């Protein structure tokens, strides 16, 4: 009898503890966040936020971006920080060209449309930048996560040229007077899965401040995360 009582007293806490643990239910395992959106390709339409009255911009002026990003999840949250480097091409189809105003003492750069009797097939200015983007990202969990990011980027102009094609052929010029070689601004992106809509607004002006007509580039487009 004493032996039986001793065994019952010994096993009772283990039985009670096991029942208590079972009442808690299974423990949910949450996988830690992983880096995503590390190579981004973007196709966008380029424009200026405000344009002079004599400037016409073609409704579709396509440009491209490509960025390699380093994504760092912030703990176990849905937030992350990312930075990277890449290339951006800003292209604008217009009805004229930028020239210095020879009548002004400081040779202020203005936009001059082509004469009305001049017929051309294509006229564009193309500016290519090396860039460093920085983003704060929100990304839900799942196979098709909702994604949103805000940040900015700074770029340095590595090439600019104008190209005009008419009945006489094609002409290229690798210079725009008083061009601003630095570009910086804010960028936002929102989407689901690999696809997102994005927009970039350049706080810096296309031409140097006080050297030319004030124009702020604006791009709106579609981005895909390939990796």
């Amino acid at each position: 009898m004493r032996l039986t009582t001793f065994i019952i007293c010994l096993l009772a806490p283990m039985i009670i503890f096991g029942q208590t643990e079972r009442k808690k239910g299974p423990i949910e395992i949450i996988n830690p966040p992983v880096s995503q959106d590390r190579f981004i390709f973007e196709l966008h339409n380029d424009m200026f936020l405000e344009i002079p009255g004599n400037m016409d911009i073609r409704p579709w002026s396509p440009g491209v971006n490509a960025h390699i990003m380093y994504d760092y999840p912030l703990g176990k949250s849905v937030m992350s920080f990312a930075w990277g480097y890449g290339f951006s091409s800003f292209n604008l189809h217009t009805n004229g060209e930028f020239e210095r105003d020879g009548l002004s003492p400081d040779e202020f750069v203005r936009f001059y449309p082509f004469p009305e009797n001049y017929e051309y097939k294509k006229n564009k200015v193309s500016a290519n930048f090396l860039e460093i983007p920085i983003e704060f990202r929100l990304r839900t969990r799942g196979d098709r996560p909702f994604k949103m990011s805000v940040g900015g980027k700074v770029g340095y102009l590595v090439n600019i040229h104008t190209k005009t094609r008419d009945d006489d052929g094609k002409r290229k010029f690798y210079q725009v007077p008083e061009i601003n070689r630095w570009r910086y601004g804010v960028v936002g992106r929102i989407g689901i899965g690999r696809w997102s809509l994005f927009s970039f607004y350049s706080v810096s002006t296309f031409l140097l401040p006080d050297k030319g007509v004030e124009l702020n580039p604006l791009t709106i487009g579609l981005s895909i995360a390939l990796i």
Side-chain angles (χ1 to χ4, degrees):
M1 181 63 67
R2 292 180 179 178
L3 180 60
T4 303
T5 303
F6 175 78
I7 294 174
I8 292 174
C9 293
L10 184 64
L11 296 177
M14 298 176 63
I15 296 173
I16 295 172
F17 179 79
Q19 292 176 345
T20 303
E21 286 296 305
R22 282 194 295 270
K23 289 180 181 179
K24 292 182 180 179
I27 299 175
E28 183 180 0
I29 299 176
I30 300 177
N31 294 323
V34 296
S35 296
Q36 297 182 35
D37 303 328
R38 291 168 293 178
F39 180 68
I40 297 177
F41 177 81
E42 297 173 332
L43 177 65
H44 49 81
N45 188 35
D46 299 328
M47 63 197 80
F48 289 131
L49 186 64
E50 295 182 0
I51 61 175
N54 60 353
M55 177 186 287
D56 289 332
I57 297 177
R58 199 176 73 177
W60 174 237
S61 292
V64 295
N65 300 337
H67 293 113
I68 296 174
M69 304 291 292
Y70 298 91
D71 184 73
Y72 301 95
L74 301 179
K76 296 182 179 180
S77 70
V78 295
M79 302 294 296
S80 68
F81 168 77
W83 74 277
Y85 53 89
F87 170 83
S88 176
S89 180
F90 179 83
N91 300 286
L92 208 65
H93 294 257
T94 69
N95 62 326
E97 55 191 359
F98 295 96
E99 294 182 3
R100 288 189 173 93
D101 185 358
L103 299 178
S104 61
D106 55 354
E107 294 190 336
F108 193 81
V109 176
R110 304 183 189 277
F111 179 83
Y112 292 92
F114 293 134
E116 293 184 1
N117 59 352
Y118 174 62
E119 296 184 0
Y120 61 94
K121 299 177 182 178
K122 184 178 183 179
N123 179 65
K124 78 167 185 176
V125 55
S126 179
N128 303 316
F129 297 86
L130 293 180
E131 296 184 318
I132 297 178
I134 297 175
E135 296 180 355
F136 286 96
R137 298 170 167 179
L138 182 149
R139 184 172 53 236
T140 61
R141 296 181 174 90
D143 295 333
R144 289 177 56 81
F146 168 79
K147 301 185 297 185
M148 182 172 63
S149 65
V150 292
K153 60 181 180 178
V154 59
Y156 183 76
L157 183 73
V158 293
N159 173 272
I160 187 167
H161 65 270
T162 62
K163 181 166 66 175
T164 304
R165 189 170 70 229
D166 55 20
D167 293 337
D168 295 329
K170 181 174 65 174
R171 298 185 301 277
K172 262 188 176 184
F173 298 96
Y174 291 88
Q175 182 63 40
V176 171
E178 304 298 351
I179 188 72
N180 192 349
R181 304 197 72 86
W182 288 98
R183 186 176 75 162
Y184 51 89
V186 293
V187 61
R189 188 180 295 109
I190 185 170
I192 297 176
R194 292 183 178 271
W195 299 91
S196 300
L197 296 175
F198 87 97
S199 178
F200 168 73
Y201 170 70
S202 178
V203 177
S204 60
T205 54
F206 185 70
L207 301 175
L208 287 172
D210 302 324
K211 296 292 185 179
V213 58
E214 185 173 342
L215 298 167
N216 293 89
L218 174 68
T219 63
I220 300 174
L222 185 67
S223 67
I224 177 173
L226 299 177
I227 300 178

